[in-house]
Amino acid sequence: MAALVVVVVPVAARGAWPAPARAERGIVASPQALATRAGEAILAAGGSAVDVAVATSLAVAVTEPYGSGLGGGALAVVHVDGVTTTFDMRETAPAAATRDMFVKDGHVVAGESTWSARASGIPGLVRGLVAMHKRYGRLPLAVVAAPAISYARDGIPVSERMHAAMAAYGERLNPAGRAIFLTPAGEPWPVGALLRQTDLARTLERVVASAGEDFYVGETARTLVAAVHAEGGLWTAADLAGYAVKERPPVTGSYRGYAVHSMGPPSSGGLLLVQMLGVLEASDVKGLDFGSAAYVHRLAETMKRAFAMRAHGLGDPDQFPVDWARFIGAGVISRLRRDVAGAERATPAAELSEVDVKPTESTHTSHLGVLFANGDAVALTQTVNLGFGSGRVAAGTGVVLNNEMDDFSALPGAPNAFGLVGDEANAVAAGKRPLSSMTPTLLLKDGEAVGVFGSPGGSTIITTTLQLVLNVVDHGMDAGAAVGAPRVHHQWYPDALIYEPWALSADTRAALEGRGHALTLRDHLGNGSALWRAADGRLEGAADPRGEGTAGGK
Ligand code: GLY
């Protein structure tokens, strides 16, 4: 009889989560299976990491139009040939925007910065993707954009999430939006129905034929301006023509031997992430044990301090000097390490600052990642802000118009839709970029990207990305387990430790309450993805089981 040979393969720790996708040359993850498939097709055709990212981004714009799209913006961290840069394609306030445009009699006018035509900033996604592609693309833009165009022209099946978004936001859509995203009877399209976006397909074709310029100075630009004007918005031809993509250095830090490269201002994400990792590096995160009260308490105390600092001095770096050292300087990290380590009980939010704000709610936005075995990578988060942005589609273009103006502090100290507050640094001003929480992030080893992380989720983006990194680096999870594992969130105000179902056992909750935490259950936090180069050199990736995403590669 043959002897039974037990082969023990060293693998990363994992629970019952679906196994990650694995690949040799390159891997891509996105929140929509069809978008991931678009990226995989471009990978198979010999595209660069940036080609794959641009193809996936455009396909996400078509398949998740309630989360992001041509009428919105994005932030991307790109690592090619050993060099990291970031592309800031964030929306800008139109030239006619003014500091108090959403304020009347000393109060923020409800809905003006979210559901009105004045809620839309000048979109940056198209020029940003074209700029990335011009610099780092290998295949023609027409090839890279082909999957997205065919999804828009030929149609895609309405997914569960798409249906849910149509049901949730359908009432807010303008007639041009209803004509696409609702049935003639005004109902959300049923799951499985074929959704065709023919105007969007034509817009994409013009974008490709003009290397993006039609969107800013051509037929699309003229149609966009006319549509926004007709509904009382502020856009002008000069606003679109003058939109500038900004290339900026990444925010950098290190964590347990990895270099962390993330997005700097106008996002708060990179600075807060690097700060929190710096604080937690002093803790035995693994030893605290995933899911224990001690671990969750340590996370919460770290998170709330970071978010308390977010409320001050953060905004568009081109209009307000942002002092990075105030967030990630060695002295600050040392102080925070001491404070967090010394916090036996939950520190009341009021002790961390005097601003008082109201509860938050979750939202949309889309994150995608690409990782190549040669060390190239892209982390890209794109958004129209809330579900279907401002609820307006520019008639004749199929373009969903963002409501990113709500990411400004309409009134210093007053919370936006995410319950986030800001000060003068993030006040509305002409041409200014609103503060973001998007946190596209790369981890590097020896100058090569080995990890790609990020998530949608408004204020929860930053803490979701943090936990993805901790899950892989400290808890030894593979990419599938890392994105699947339950998460927690604290954003200082509301002064609540938010947790997902199954994140905390009853006795863990009791222990946290005993330390003074007020607990709030939320059905889910984020919809991220993780890509990782495992110790054996193979690539693995997973999209969040909370959403409809997939990962795949070659
Ligand atoms: N609109 C969400 C964000 O940029 O954080």
Side-chain angles (χ1 to χ4, degrees):
M1 200 171 88
L4 182 66
V5 179
V6 178
V7 180
V8 180
V9 182
V11 290
R14 63 190 335 278
W17 306 106
R22 296 192 198 277
E24 304 293 332
R25 190 164 73 79
I27 194 160
V28 52
S30 89
Q32 284 296 327
L34 287 173
T36 302
R37 213 179 289 165
E40 287 180 89
I42 297 305
L43 175 64
S48 67
V50 166
D51 286 328
V52 175
V54 172
T56 310
S57 165
L58 291 172
V60 167
V62 176
T63 57
E64 200 167 81
Y66 48 90
S68 62
L70 274 53
L75 301 172
V77 182
V78 177
H79 185 82
V80 175
D81 290 340
V83 177
T84 305
T85 189
T86 77
F87 287 86
D88 168 358
M89 38 191 126
R90 185 79 167 149
E91 298 90 330
T92 54
T98 55
R99 189 185 177 295
D100 293 327
M101 64 185 282
F102 299 121
V103 178
K104 198 169 175 204
D105 301 330
H107 297 285
V108 178
V109 183
E112 270 292 293
S113 64
T114 45
W115 312 122
S116 85
R118 287 159 25 113
S120 302
I122 305 303
L125 184 78
V126 171
R127 261 196 187 151
L129 293 181
V130 170
M132 273 172 59
H133 179 260
K134 260 192 194 143
R135 173 87 64 83
Y136 297 117
R138 195 179 294 150
L139 302 176
L141 188 58
V143 172
V144 168
I149 293 173
S150 91
Y151 292 156
R153 186 191 52 228
D154 305 332
I156 50 169
V158 170
S159 69
E160 297 275 358
R161 275 169 70 83
M162 171 101 76
H163 171 79
M166 289 166 169
Y169 299 100
E171 295 233 316
R172 290 208 167 112
L173 292 172
N174 69 350
R178 285 168 176 252
I180 301 168
F181 298 116
L182 298 180
T183 67
E187 300 293 329
W189 289 102
V191 174
L194 192 71
L195 180 77
R196 298 181 72 218
Q197 300 174 73
T198 46
D199 284 342
L200 184 60
R202 282 191 284 270
T203 298
L204 281 164
E205 282 164 353
R206 290 193 298 273
V207 161
V208 168
S210 64
E213 286 311 280
D214 179 75
F215 195 91
Y216 293 93
V217 293
E219 179 189 336
T220 305
R222 288 188 289 278
T223 314
L224 287 170
V225 170
V228 171
H229 253 270
E231 301 202 28
L234 303 177
W235 293 15
T236 64
D239 285 326
L240 275 170
Y243 180 85
V245 179
K246 296 290 171 87
E247 207 181 325
R248 306 181 192 276
V251 166
T252 59
S254 65
Y255 189 66
R256 303 203 196 284
Y258 295 98
V260 182
H261 290 190
S262 191
M263 191 71 213
S267 180
S268 58
L271 286 172
L272 265 60
L273 177 72
V274 167
Q275 178 193 100
M276 291 190 289
L277 288 171
V279 172
L280 289 167
E281 196 171 26
S283 301
D284 179 8
V285 167
K286 187 177 171 58
L288 287 172
D289 205 12
F290 182 87
S292 71
Y295 175 60
V296 173
H297 172 72
R298 187 66 54 100
L299 287 187
E301 292 303 300
T302 304
M303 291 170 179
K304 71 171 76 157
R305 282 167 175 78
F307 273 88
M309 292 175 77
R310 185 192 189 278
H312 303 288
L314 274 175
D316 181 349
D318 295 335
Q319 296 212 14
F320 188 95
V322 177
D323 179 6
W324 289 20
R326 195 171 78 76
F327 297 89
I328 59 172
V332 176
I333 303 280
S334 302
R335 177 179 62 76
L336 289 168
R337 283 178 174 179
R338 279 195 305 277
D339 289 357
V340 167
E344 285 298 319
R345 292 181 54 77
T347 311
E351 285 181 17
L352 296 173
S353 181
E354 287 163 6
V355 186
D356 191 9
V357 296
K358 297 197 176 58
T360 182
E361 59 188 56
S362 190
T363 187
H364 295 286
T365 294
S366 318
H367 172 78
L368 60 100
V370 179
L371 179 63
F372 272 31
N374 70 357
D376 292 351
V378 179
L380 191 157
T381 314
Q382 57 189 51
T383 186
V384 289
N385 200 25
L386 306 180
F388 285 111
S390 62
R392 290 173 156 73
V393 167
T397 66
V399 172
V400 175
L401 300 169
N402 69 82
N403 58 358
E404 223 68 56
M405 295 293 283
D406 189 62
D407 276 348
F408 282 116
S409 305
L411 194 62
N416 73 356
F418 303 109
L420 295 170
V421 287
D423 60 6
E424 284 300 324
N426 192 34
V428 186
K432 193 172 178 183
R433 288 158 144 84
L435 185 61
S436 174
S437 295
M438 295 190 288
T439 316
T441 298
L442 306 180
L443 258 59
L444 280 73
K445 193 91 174 172
D446 302 326
E448 295 185 354
V450 297
V452 184
F453 303 94
S455 179
S459 49
T460 70
I461 291 173
I462 313 171
T463 54
T464 294
T465 307
L466 171 73
Q467 288 165 90
L468 294 177
V469 173
L470 299 178
N471 287 351
V472 171
V473 173
D474 293 280
H475 300 299
M477 298 182 196
D478 68 23
V483 292
R487 299 193 267 262
V488 299
H489 172 73
H490 203 305
Q491 63 178 56
W492 169 53
Y493 274 106
D495 194 355
L497 174 49
I498 297 166
Y499 67 102
E500 290 187 312
W502 305 293
L504 307 173
S505 65
D507 48 5
T508 308
R509 294 199 298 274
L512 286 163
E513 282 166 347
R515 283 181 167 213
H517 291 283
L519 300 180
T520 301
L521 179 66
R522 192 181 293 175
D523 64 341
H524 76 278
L525 294 166
N527 180 23
S529 63
L531 304 175
W532 188 246
R533 189 162 89 191
D536 65 1
R538 290 189 73 197
L539 305 172
E540 60 182 43
D544 207 315
R546 294 161 186 77
E548 296 177 336
T550 54
K554 192 171 154 46

